[in-house]
Amino acid sequence: MATDRRPRRAPQEEDRRRDSGRTRERIIGAAVGEFSAHGYSGARVTRIAKAAGVNAQLISYHFDGKAGLYQAVLERGTSALDPLPAADRSLSDIAGDYVRVTGRNADITRLLAWEGLGDTPEAGEHAAIEGHSQRRADFMHGIVAQLRARQADGEFPEDLDAGHLLLAVYAMASAPVLLPQVARQIFGADADADNFQEEFAQQVTRLVAHLATRHETG
């Protein structure tokens, strides 16, 4: 009886890509917490590698170093936070949902606060970061244009500026994450609690809805 003596196949390219993708995901997941807690300057590649359970050299291999990893985290994180004003949902519902999304992605929200304070890679340290900033600006301009179209359709008053309204929604959604002590002082409650986040989301929904109500009855 013939025996099948064919050599064992080497791992398939698809398997190698899958393993590589899993490694990247573990590194990005660990980096989100590190950058959120310590900012870019205070973050340490060694701590990220330890949390991800990988050799620190793999961060250079997959991301070209700390700045490249920061870029990857930004790309992943900001896309999770984007408030997309779907045409079939009211502006008030979108605002409430954004509060919920921001609360579920608190680490990314804190990372963006570090970025706002200027704790980012030095100019030219990673060229892709500058491209990311421009893409974010283009995205925001697109959202403002959509809000202006909604305003022209009568969804909210003409004397409100769409850009300022978008910034206000961002600020409201971020408040429990970035100012938990203020929430605690006002309510005596933990701003990280799911029930508080949901109550706040409902209040923001009602607040924005009142803009349209006053517009219609005013």
Side-chain angles (χ1 to χ4, degrees):
M1 184 174 180
T3 302
D4 187 351
R5 298 181 178 276
R6 287 176 299 177
R8 295 178 62 185
R9 292 185 301 169
Q12 298 296 306
E13 181 64 25
E14 183 179 345
D15 293 335
R16 288 195 291 269
R17 286 197 301 266
R18 187 180 298 115
D19 290 343
S20 178
R22 289 169 180 163
T23 298
R24 285 177 59 89
E25 290 301 316
R26 289 205 309 274
I27 294 171
I28 289 175
V32 169
E34 179 72 9
F35 286 129
S36 171
H38 303 286
Y40 179 77
S41 298
R44 296 292 178 265
V45 168
T46 52
R47 286 199 297 257
I48 294 171
K50 183 177 180 180
V54 301
N55 189 299
Q57 292 180 339
L58 283 177
I59 293 177
S60 295
Y61 174 77
H62 285 287
F63 301 98
D64 194 25
K66 181 178 174 182
L69 177 56
Y70 179 81
Q71 159 69 11
V73 169
L74 274 185
E75 292 280 4
R76 176 72 56 82
T78 52
S79 64
L81 293 181
D82 289 338
L84 295 172
D88 61 343
R89 292 181 61 74
S90 68
L91 183 60
S92 58
D93 285 339
I94 292 168
D97 285 346
Y98 190 51
V99 173
R100 297 181 181 95
V101 169
T102 302
R104 289 196 298 268
N105 294 274
D107 280 346
I108 295 297
T109 303
R110 296 187 186 100
L111 186 153
L112 293 179
W114 282 106
E115 183 186 26
L117 293 172
D119 189 8
T120 59
E122 296 291 334
E125 188 173 349
H126 200 278
I129 292 177
E130 296 178 10
H132 171 78
S133 297
Q134 185 57 54
R135 287 192 297 275
R136 291 296 299 166
D138 293 342
F139 175 84
M140 291 298 175
H141 294 160
I143 296 297
V144 171
Q146 292 182 49
L147 290 177
R148 286 175 179 155
R150 285 172 173 262
Q151 187 176 33
D153 289 339
E155 188 168 351
F156 58 94
E158 296 178 358
D159 62 347
L160 290 177
D161 178 83
H164 286 281
L165 177 59
L166 179 60
L167 180 60
V169 170
Y170 265 88
M172 286 191 294
S174 302
V177 175
L178 301 184
L179 298 171
Q181 77 281 18
V182 175
R184 195 174 301 110
Q185 291 159 1
I186 295 173
F187 301 102
D190 185 353
D192 291 333
D194 289 341
N195 63 328
F196 178 86
Q197 288 284 351
E198 180 56 32
E199 290 172 5
F200 187 62
Q202 292 176 12
Q203 288 296 316
V204 168
T205 300
R206 291 169 188 159
L207 189 156
V208 175
H210 282 313
L211 295 176
T213 301
R214 289 191 61 191
H215 181 49
E216 293 170 0
T217 60

